[in-house]
Amino acid sequence: MQVKPNIPKGTRDFPPGEIIRRELILNIIKETFTLFGYQPLETPAMENLSTLLGKYGEEGDKLLFRILNSGDFLENVTEEELLRRDSSSVSSKICEKGLRYDLTVPFARFVVQHRNEITFPFKRYQIQTVWRADRPQKGRYREFTQCDVDVIGSDSLLNELELLRVIDEIFARLKVPVTIKINNRKILAGLAGKAGAADRLTDITTAIDKLEKTGKDAVIAELREKGLSEQVIDGLTPVFEIKGDNYEKLTGLRKILSGSHEGMKGIVELETLTRYLDPDPLRCGYQIDLALARGLNYYTGAIIEVKADGVNIGSICGGGRYDNLTGIFGLEGVSGVGVSFGAERIYDVMLQQGRFENVSTAPCRVLIINFGADEYVYALKILKKLHSSGVSAMIYPGDAKIGKQMAYADSLNIPYVALAGEDEIKNGEVTLKNMVTGKQQRISLEETGNLFP
RNA sequence: GUGGUCGUAGCUCAGCUGGUUAGAGCGCCAGAUUGUGGCUCUGGAGGUCGCCGGUUCGAAUCCGGUCUUCCACCCCA
């Protein structure tokens, strides 16, 4: 039976032209990471579920891809458990591994596991695929590439500052106009504490997160729906009213959070960071956004999100500080901060802005026409000459009429074609044709490689 | 996970309220043109109309299910 060629929902193929354009992005990101002194790291596609579960909140756990155990995976499941049809308890028995959901948690696991070999503060970057069982949409895939940079083992705000500069540098190099939005979890925690609902921080932050999208009233309605008291809600509403530039927002916050030790700490952190930027401002936008919350519940300090100006595709980069992530794996007192760039979304933004139109997708610069078995030896000489000069080139892979070989070069956008038949061979020459202008010239075999810059 | 939406040739799409052999443009292949691509002309290949089932004398068209696409929510890169 024939199988229909198909790939799973939310995944995609990357044809040659797409890879070439993608690499442009990934190379800039990687170069910039390296420029700032970050070291590369790779971890396995799958982790033990115990590593992954509980790090991303309840929603996150649902979005983990689980890997079925090999062999007789039902061995340890009792009849009763199957009859109860309790998916979550059965799945914990038949799956012990899962695909990584992000790169931060595997990184934290790595740091604890290798704590004795690592020199702290450890600055690493990691560019790998992650998987989420989300329902796909535009700019949202089930398999996508994240480019993470983190500094772990230092609680200095200078790291946040550096990451802001890394973000600025990367998007400046990519020529993608963006705005960085920043907030601090301590401010949100302070607010929740002030309002007398410190234990409901997650509910409060996810509601506040929607402020910009749905408006103040909808947020209040959601808070009510979640069972928060009017008193608590009244305590939170002053934040919704704060307006103005970054410093005005901080001043407004100081009034609301006076007396909250944690809240004030958050304000000081944000303010310090903002002042650090004053003498040498970023090229991109930089906004304190008190509605920014982020659902990933391991963040404890600064939270950062980057939006492409004028493109509605969600955030293209995000991250923050996490103080306790390694604690779960048995290493306390190690604070980290990092951000993650979404390769697919950056690609989509740049595609939408027509930024790839002049990118050449040709496999090589020269196609050498294959005239037949006798001439092939000479064609190989041309090939060697070109290769030794660092010019990418290939001989037409097969036998075909000259016209077909030319058409091959044309359809692959190969800019030059080299021809050498009986006549050229006799004189030790090559005919080189420029496929764009259509002009061709005879040159000696010796100088073949030198004609290219 | 909730609600909605789409699915016809490689691509973009047409196909009126069910009625003979399902079309177009582009692309592809071959020839005109056996050492020269793009332009032109001529010819050709390619479709179980997403899949399964139902209604009907008859289904691309109607109904149900399922998968996929896209959108909103949720969440996020």
Side-chain angles (χ1 to χ4, degrees), chain A residues 212-344:
Chain A
E212 204 168 316
K213 228 174 188 177
T214 58
K216 181 180 148 190
D217 294 340
V219 172
I220 292 174
E222 181 172 339
L223 289 169
R224 274 204 194 102
E225 200 183 312
K226 286 186 166 158
L228 287 143
S229 71
E230 291 303 319
Q231 200 188 337
V232 170
I233 293 172
D234 286 346
L236 292 170
T237 39
V239 192
F240 306 159
E241 314 293 346
I242 291 180
K243 302 242 154 56
D245 69 19
N246 291 337
Y247 288 115
E248 285 164 353
K249 282 178 185 166
L250 288 168
T251 309
L253 263 183
R254 273 182 193 283
K255 285 184 200 139
I256 297 169
L257 285 175
S258 65
S260 161
H261 181 67
E262 190 170 25
M264 290 308 285
K265 225 170 137 187
I267 293 172
V268 170
E269 283 183 19
L270 251 189
E271 185 165 15
T272 307
L273 206 51
T274 308
R275 291 218 184 278
Y276 271 142
L277 289 171
D278 281 341
D280 184 13
L282 302 174
R283 286 155 284 185
C284 65
Y286 172 79
Q287 272 178 22
I288 292 176
D289 181 357
L290 299 170
L292 179 65
R294 296 185 65 77
L296 255 44
N297 62 6
Y298 50 67
Y299 293 123
T300 50
I303 40 185
I304 296 165
E305 213 164 270
V306 181
K307 301 241 178 191
D309 296 342
V311 184
N312 187 23
I313 198 167
S315 59
I316 54 177
C317 174
R321 177 167 290 276
Y322 42 91
D323 283 325
N324 306 318
L325 200 46
T326 58
I328 300 160
F329 302 113
L331 182 60
E332 302 286 345
V334 178
S335 181
V337 58
V339 292
S340 179
F341 295 76
E344 278 73 17

